[in-house]
């Protein structure tokens, strides 16, 4: 819950710039001590500054500007990706803040099943009664707040129409990358059981090669990213069979 509260409070501050502890507690429906603890954690990251009776955004920190722009990109991608989902489907939402941003746009659906191994997704959909939420479970990998399954395979009866995943880097020739070797087997098994695999990454991830390859680009059916991607990259992706969709900012 704490990880979700950090993101939620930070997004509130991006809009209001300054807010009291009491108002935050009312909005988040948590106690004042809980709010103060979460704000203290955000302050350690240099994202906010604690003031008398409340908290304000650390506007002097360059990381705040970068984080603000990234959050805009996450939601632009989510708004584009939500067009691909139909009521009645069973989908998978993997770890990562880009994928988690989809959760805010799922509430209008009435008959949607969501499989996930992401703590962020579970926290955001926990109280959405019209969504059938199924956690794949396993061992919690705190580095990306996702569960890695201990089972060698998923239940054979599982059918996933659309699988939404993200990555820490992408190279059209080399593949999709993660920074740490976690959850790879879980995502590989989910991809195998999915009719369509949809990669959600912002344009800044292109050209970044991390330490671990998640999967080759050919495993992806649809790529949703932010506008501004070069024509040469789009051509490379298209030639490899991807349907590229760019979200306006």
């Amino acid at each position: 819950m704490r990880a979700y509260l950090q993101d939620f409070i930070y997004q509130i501050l991006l809009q209001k710039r300054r807010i009291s502890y009491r108002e935050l507690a009312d909005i988040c429906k948590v106690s004042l001590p809980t709010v103060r603890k979460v704000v203290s954690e955000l302050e350690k990251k240099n994202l906010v500054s604690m003031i008398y009776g409340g908290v304000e955004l650390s506007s002097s920190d360059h990381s705040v500007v970068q984080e603000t722009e990234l959050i805009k990109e996450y939601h632009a991608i989510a708004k584009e990706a939500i067009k691909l989902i139909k009521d009645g489907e069973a989908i998978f939402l993997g770890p990562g803040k880009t994928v988690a941003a989809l959760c805010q746009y799922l509430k209008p659906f009435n008959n949607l099943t969501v499989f996930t191994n992401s703590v962020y997704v579970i926290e955001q959909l926990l109280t959405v009664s019209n969504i059938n939420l199924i956690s794949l479970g396993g061992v919690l990998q705190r580095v990306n707040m996702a569960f890695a399954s201990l089972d060698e395979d998923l239940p054979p009866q599982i059918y996933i129409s659309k699988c939404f995943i993200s990555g820490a880097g992408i190279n059209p020739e080399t593949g999709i990358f993660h920074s740490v070797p976690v959850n790879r087997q879980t995502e590989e098994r989910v991809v195998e059981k999915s009719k369509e695999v949809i990669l959600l990454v912002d344009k800044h991830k292109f050209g970044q090669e991390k330490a671990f390859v998640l999967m080759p680009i050919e495993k992806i059916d649809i790529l949703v990213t932010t506008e501004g991607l070069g024509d040469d990259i789009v051509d490379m992706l298209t030639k490899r069979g991807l349907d590229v969709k760019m979200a306006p900012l």
Side-chain angles (χ1 to χ4, degrees):
M1 187 67 177
R2 191 70 59 82
Y4 169 68
L5 274 176
Q6 282 190 31
D7 286 343
F8 187 46
I9 288 175
Y10 185 69
Q11 289 185 45
I12 291 171
L13 280 163
L14 288 174
Q15 299 174 16
K16 293 180 173 289
R17 309 293 297 182
R18 178 180 294 187
I19 192 170
S20 70
Y21 292 128
R22 172 57 65 186
E23 189 176 355
L24 274 177
D26 291 342
I27 293 173
C28 299
K29 294 180 172 55
V30 295
S31 67
L32 280 172
T34 297
V35 166
R36 289 193 176 96
K37 286 179 182 177
V38 174
V39 167
S40 177
E41 291 164 357
L42 288 171
E43 187 178 46
K44 291 176 182 177
K45 297 179 180 180
N46 297 318
L47 295 174
V48 305
S49 298
M50 298 172 74
I51 58 176
Y52 180 75
V55 58
E56 66 179 7
L57 200 64
S58 296
S59 57
S60 60
D61 197 302
H62 181 62
S63 64
V64 172
V65 177
Q66 291 180 318
E67 186 71 17
T68 302
E69 292 304 314
L70 281 175
I71 288 174
K72 289 180 181 178
E73 294 203 34
Y74 296 157
H75 286 275
I77 291 170
K79 289 176 183 177
E80 187 68 28
I82 205 73
K83 300 174 185 177
L84 302 171
I85 302 174
K86 297 178 181 178
D87 219 347
E89 289 188 308
I91 65 174
F92 171 80
L93 300 183
K97 292 182 179 179
T98 312
V99 175
L102 270 175
C103 295
Q104 296 189 27
Y105 305 95
L106 294 178
K107 295 178 182 179
F109 291 90
N110 294 313
N111 184 30
L112 194 67
T113 297
V114 175
F115 292 94
T116 188
N117 64 333
S118 168
V119 173
Y120 291 115
V121 172
I122 293 170
E123 288 177 343
Q124 292 192 57
L125 298 182
L126 194 61
T127 58
V128 184
S129 59
N130 52 311
I131 289 180
N132 183 25
L133 180 62
I134 302 174
S135 171
L136 297 183
V139 178
L140 178 62
Q141 309 293 317
R142 296 184 183 278
V143 66
N144 66 347
M145 297 303 289
F147 292 99
S149 176
L150 293 176
D151 298 329
E152 292 184 359
D153 198 6
L154 298 174
Q157 67 271 24
I158 285 182
Y159 172 79
I160 298 170
S161 57
K162 294 182 174 73
C163 166
F164 293 87
I165 60 173
S166 62
I170 177 172
N171 183 313
E173 295 182 344
T174 318
I176 305 157
F177 294 83
H178 272 345
S179 299
V180 288
V182 296
N183 309 116
R184 176 175 174 175
Q185 291 183 337
T186 300
E187 291 190 28
E188 284 179 342
R189 290 195 290 268
V190 170
V191 165
E192 289 173 0
K193 289 185 174 291
S194 301
K195 184 178 180 180
E196 283 187 307
V197 181
I198 303 163
L199 178 66
L200 309 182
V201 289
D202 61 81
K203 62 179 179 291
H204 307 291
K205 298 292 193 306
F206 286 85
Q208 295 191 32
E209 295 186 346
K210 304 298 182 179
F212 302 92
V213 179
L214 173 62
M215 65 184 67
I217 201 74
E218 286 79 10
K219 292 282 188 179
I220 306 301
D221 298 298
I222 301 172
L223 167 72
V224 184
T225 186
T226 38
E227 61 182 4
L229 202 60
D231 292 340
D232 55 337
I233 297 177
V234 174
D235 288 342
M236 290 177 67
L237 294 167
T238 303
K239 287 178 180 177
R240 291 180 176 269
L242 278 72
D243 179 7
V244 180
K245 298 182 184 298
M246 286 190 277
L249 292 172

